Amino acid sequence: MRDRPDITPKVELLPGVDDAHPFHMISMTEWLGALPHPASTFSFQDNVLKVVAVNGWFRKYFSPDASEPARPQATEWRRRIVESILSGRDSDSFELRREGTLGPEYFYCTIGRLPELEGQPNLFLFTALDRTSDRSIVKNLRRELLSDGLTALPNRTGFGEEIEDRLANMSWPENAQFGIIAIDLSRFSRVNESLGPMAGDELLITVAKRLKSSLRQGDVLSRIGGNDFAIFAKLNNGLSDALHIVQRIRDALNYPIRLSDLQIRVDCAIGCALSASLTEDPEDVVRKAQAAVKIAKRSGKVEIYRNGVLKEAQRRFSVESRLRDALAQGGLTLAYQPLIHLQTGEITGFEALARWNDEELGDVSPAEFIAVAEESGLITPLGRWAAYEAAQALSRWDAKFGQPLPVGVNVNLSPIQMTRDDVASMFEEALRYSGITGNRLTAELTESAIVADPEKARKLLFALKDLQMPIAMDDFGTGYSNLASLHSLPIDILKIDRSFVTNMLDDRDKEVMVKTILSLAESLGLHVTAEGIETQQLAHALQNLGCWQGQGYYFARPMAEPEAFDYWRARWNFETV
Ligand code: C2E
Ligand code: MG
Ligand code: MG
């Protein structure tokens, strides 16, 4: 065994080691055998590379024996080693990729010149660290994590990374924003179902290409879900920039896509969300755009997310569509709340109040669904239904009792319904159909109905009077109607709004308001109903003030039709306030 003192590190170069252990005389092969990865030494002379010594790992992976020439890629590492040596550097490294039996293998290789040994000037140490599993894990993970295999676009995660990258590395003017445009291919599932998943894939790829063509430099397109795409866009001019991109998207998808023998038109729903600032979390903006696209699917329009509006709008849309079904399928009912003659305690009538319990939405309050009905135009069928139903209820009660009950029913009219529908004919038909006389059906309308179009309201009120119907002014005190107009209109009853009545005993202003309305009514010859009577004390106070009629939880809550009838029959002639 030869002594090779120069391979040993110098003692003074090893900090903390004061006394070097005496080294042993060991062979080159033994040195290499101590390494846990392929290693070998080569000599390079006259342009010929020769193996001097190898360890077991090297033999296993690089097999420099007879079988070697049969593997063409085996020459690659030799070529790279020679290249490194010829470069004249004392040490070098490179990555070696070769086809292994289970796919590509990656080695991190180093080659370094060894100190000259007696008569052997060109000796080199070669090591190779197997990086195959690290490389493939990282590569697969990144690929799977960040991109969509079909379109090669970034997926949702990749999209997030791309956005972060753009936000960090693009130049952004001071008041710039970014926007997310979400695109949902509406009929995609039908293509998948009818033409098969291959056609579906082809469609997605084509759409991806077209969408890509509508992008500007710096925009990012991604496929964030099955048939959902999203675009990140820098906006220098806020919404108007976003709408330009939307227009380009529509143009790009406008002409049909060819799938085998078929021409398919892609419908898409588009929703946008704009960042409040560049520091807003892009994930939040993506979510908002996705929420907007959901609404767009129902509305058929491009929807822009605005803070806070979304939840309400979503709710409104579902209330509207469920209400439409409910009206078509008879899903609404009327509840009847007794109206009490405050001096005698008699039940003079009932107010019919619409009730809706929906399978999905549960109980929806009239305040909510009447507003939606007014916005959507559903108030016309709803109002018609309520008028017919109320008149029918009266006729059913009459039939049950064997003769006409000495009570009437009040029906609420929406101002929108009054402008859109022929309310007078509606009541005429409802009365005729149920055989009820007009004096038993009171129309409750609000001041706003008169303010909106006084002339039309006037005509309607007179038409209702021709039907003998009493007319009540609902929620009185909350609107702006001038007293002169009240005087010239055929109004019979003022219903003082609950907001004045309920707390009137604790609030002087309210009490004054109630008293004023009572004296105004007296001077105009009108009856007054007080809404929202919740206590006996209040009932007595109003009785003492000479108020004609009362309504409220103290007497009874609104009840279903049969209960209302029982309530009336149990009390009529016996009631005291
Ligand atoms: P409104 O016509 O002023 O009806 C009176 C409302 O006050 C009813 O609310 C009733 O349940 C409630 N109420 C009665 N007594 C009391 C009480 O002592 N305390 C309290 N806190 N509330 C009391 P509801 O049923 O929720 O109806 C709300 C509004 O919805 C109605 O106000 C009416 O404007 C509208 N509405 C209900 N049904 C119809 C309908 O068929 N057509 C139209 N156009 N509007 C309707
Ligand atoms: Mg009312
Ligand atoms: Mg009211």
Side-chain angles (χ1 to χ4, degrees), residues 351 444 474-475 495 497 531:
E351 178 173 4
E444 287 196 8
D474 204 355
D475 306 338
K495 292 189 76 174
D497 193 69
E531 295 179 335

Side-chain angles (χ1 to χ4, degrees), residues 551-567:
Q551 172 182 5
Y553 294 171
Y554 165 64
F555 302 110
R557 295 200 174 235
M559 294 170 276
E561 187 184 314
E563 282 85 71
F565 177 81
D566 293 344
Y567 180 91

Side-chain angles (χ1 to χ4, degrees), residues 332-335 337 351-355 365-370 374 379 382-383 385-387 411-415 417 444 446 474-475 495 497-498 502 531-535 551-558:
L332 265 64
T333 55
L334 284 180
Q337 188 177 31
E351 178 173 4
L353 296 158
R355 291 290 178 266
S365 79
E368 183 176 11
F369 70 79
I370 296 290
E374 287 177 338
I379 194 65
L382 190 153
W385 163 79
V411 176
N412 288 285
L413 280 181
S414 145
Q417 183 191 357
E444 287 196 8
T446 55
D474 204 355
D475 306 338
K495 292 189 76 174
D497 193 69
R498 195 172 81 216
T502 308
E531 295 179 335
I533 300 177
E534 292 182 354
T535 61
Q551 172 182 5
Y553 294 171
Y554 165 64
F555 302 110
R557 295 200 174 235

